[in-house]
Amino acid sequence: YTINDFPLSEEKNIIARAKSPVRISFGGGGSDLTHYFTKSSGGAVINSTISLYSHATLIKNTNDKIIIISEDLKETIKANDLKSALKQKNKMGLVMSIIKLINPKFGFELHISSDFPVGSGLGGSAVVMSAIIGCFNEFRIDKWTKYEIAEMAYQAERLSFKISGGWQDQYATVFGGVNFMEFNKNKNIIHSLKIDKETLLELKENLILCDTCSAHDSSDIHKDQKKQLLDQKTINKLVSSNVDLTYEIRDSLLKGDLSSIGKFLDKAWQYKRKYSSKISNKRLDNIYNTAMKNGALGGKLLGAGGGGFFMFYCEPTKSRDLQRKLELLNTKIVNFEFEKDGLKSWIVRKTI
């Protein structure tokens, strides 16, 4: 062999891919809203990412053309350049808000798809934003940090597109794992919790994720909750109690003591459902009451409320019977695993 037998490969076009996980929340919901934690002693939530993802693929074009395809919304955008794409009216306003913020200087083709339905209450909007940012980050030399990516997603969703809501979804999907998050007017701190493997295995065996098969409008609910928080001291006390409960949940998980988790989740739900009249309804109450009568030790609706997913805590020996009872109410049981990692992005060579 000589040096001529090992010619250098020509540089080829690359594709950026990313996947970002959804989260389930155990407590503290509502305290991550800016109008709450900036006017109180602070907010705190505890959540974990699970094995349902948003996926994004980004292909750089050799011209200025823009193509964006959302499998979730069944919508496609085609334009000659970014300026023209931003002017189009379509269902992808949230996606375009993050594209506008990133302001790429090249044409591209972006594909987006998710493992979960729109309006799931699993923080899906933030998850999609995170996956898109992850793809564009692969083309940067000075890469954005996890905090920067989460706060970019927040800016695009909450400030630019004006969807009301909190901060936990963006941090959860980017950082991944089980996190205890504290919010105050000066800074937000993400604490990654080191939970024993056996504790997480047991927790997973005791949890049931139930899709109510009804979407929700989180922005509308958060707006109503904001009004309630501004007008009623009672609601602020409920949110504060939910924050205190979050610390108890954190301590139980760290100690590996799951004996009270069901009771904690039930208490969190009873607090939360009083935040706004829009959080629960007759159908959701029926699902919850049926679960509690058939083996559940507690549970809560994930996300803002009004629909989406319930999470129930149940003894494994009663789990299958409870699942059958829930399915009779036209719900769907979704299998999952805990996901220890958050946003992942990488590049591959374009082969075709």
Side-chain angles (χ1 to χ4, degrees):
Y1 288 98
T2 69
I3 194 170
N4 296 324
D5 294 305
F6 298 93
L8 294 177
S9 302
E10 290 186 12
E11 188 171 3
K12 297 179 180 178
N13 290 335
I14 59 172
I15 299 172
R17 299 198 199 279
K19 59 185 291 192
S20 207
V22 302
R23 59 96 189 105
I24 54 175
S25 54
F26 296 96
S31 72
D32 63 327
L33 297 170
T34 307
H35 54 264
Y36 174 79
F37 66 74
T38 55
K39 297 178 180 179
S40 68
S41 57
V45 302
I46 188 166
N47 55 44
S48 176
T49 45
I50 61 171
S51 57
L52 297 174
Y53 308 89
S54 270
H55 308 266
T57 295
L58 181 67
I59 305 167
K60 238 183 181 182
N61 285 339
T62 54
N63 51 39
D64 293 332
K65 288 188 177 179
I66 305 292
I67 301 173
I68 304 174
I69 301 169
S70 170
E71 300 291 345
D72 307 324
L73 300 174
K74 295 178 171 51
E75 185 93 353
T76 298
I77 292 175
K78 292 184 179 181
N80 289 326
D81 53 44
L82 181 59
K83 188 176 180 181
S84 301
L86 291 171
K87 287 181 179 179
Q88 291 188 21
K89 291 185 178 181
N90 49 66
K91 293 187 289 184
M92 277 198 269
L94 181 56
V95 172
M96 296 313 294
S97 71
I98 194 63
I99 299 297
K100 184 178 180 180
L101 178 63
I102 294 170
N103 193 27
K105 304 301 182 185
F106 52 84
F108 60 86
E109 186 173 331
L110 176 65
H111 294 254
I112 309 160
S113 64
S114 302
D115 302 334
F116 50 88
V118 175
S120 64
L122 300 172
S125 296
V127 175
V128 173
M129 297 293 97
S130 171
I132 293 171
I133 298 169
C135 279
F136 280 100
N137 205 25
E138 286 299 318
F139 289 106
R140 286 174 59 89
I141 295 173
D142 176 24
K143 296 193 183 302
W144 294 306
T145 66
K146 288 183 177 182
Y147 273 96
E148 287 172 331
I149 292 173
E151 286 158 14
M152 285 172 67
Y154 181 91
Q155 181 180 340
E157 184 176 356
R158 306 296 187 216
L159 305 181
S160 299
F161 200 58
K162 301 188 184 305
I163 296 179
S164 295
W167 289 79
Q168 70 164 309
D169 297 348
Q170 291 79 10
Y171 288 120
T173 190
V174 174
F175 282 82
V178 183
N179 288 296
F180 183 74
M181 305 180 182
E182 294 181 294
F183 305 92
N184 60 61
K185 59 184 177 183
N186 296 318
K187 58 185 175 181
N188 300 331
I189 302 296
I190 314 304
H191 306 275
S192 179
L193 300 184
K194 189 175 181 180
I195 311 296
D196 286 343
K197 183 179 179 181
E198 291 78 10
T199 301
L200 282 178
L201 286 170
E202 178 64 14
L203 181 62
K204 164 61 183 66
E205 287 299 300
N206 285 273
L207 291 178
I208 295 173
L209 191 60
C210 172
D211 183 358
T212 65
C213 297
S214 53
H216 72 155
D217 183 349
S218 63
S219 182
D220 188 39
I221 294 169
H222 281 305
K223 285 177 183 175
D224 185 66
Q225 185 180 327
K226 180 178 180 179
K227 183 180 177 182
Q228 297 289 339
L229 286 168
L230 292 173
D231 294 345
Q232 295 185 31
K233 291 182 179 179
T234 304
I235 303 299
N236 279 283
K237 287 182 179 178
L238 286 169
V239 177
S240 179
S241 296
N242 211 351
V243 170
D244 293 339
L245 183 63
T246 300
Y247 283 88
E248 292 187 68
I249 296 171
R250 179 200 65 180
D251 293 347
S252 292
L253 290 176
L254 288 172
K255 292 176 182 176
D257 178 14
L258 302 181
S259 60
S260 299
I261 293 295
K263 180 184 70 175
F264 289 154
L265 291 178
D266 177 64
K267 193 179 287 187
W269 171 236
Q270 299 309 326
Y271 288 147
K272 179 178 177 175
R273 67 194 306 279
K274 295 176 184 176
Y275 292 175
S276 164
S277 60
K278 299 177 182 291
I279 286 176
S280 193
N281 54 47
K282 198 170 183 179
R283 169 170 161 73
L284 296 178
D285 286 343
N286 184 40
I287 292 171
Y288 192 83
N289 293 334
T290 298
M292 293 298 285
K293 289 175 183 176
N294 289 278
L297 300 175
K300 65 187 289 291
L301 196 64
L302 302 173
F309 281 67
F310 264 116
M311 177 176 68
F312 294 109
Y313 189 89
C314 174
E315 291 264 351
T317 54
K318 299 178 181 178
S319 177
R320 190 63 212 130
D321 184 56
L322 173 55
Q323 290 179 40
R324 282 193 287 265
K325 291 290 196 306
L326 291 171
E327 287 170 337
L328 291 174
L329 299 177
N330 296 316
T331 67
K332 180 181 177 183
I333 305 303
V334 176
N335 293 320
F336 72 94
E337 298 293 336
F338 285 116
E339 169 59 83
K340 63 182 179 63
D341 297 317
L343 169 65
K344 293 178 182 177
S345 61
W346 64 97
I347 56 174
V348 293
R349 284 182 174 178
K350 186 177 181 181
T351 56
I352 299 175

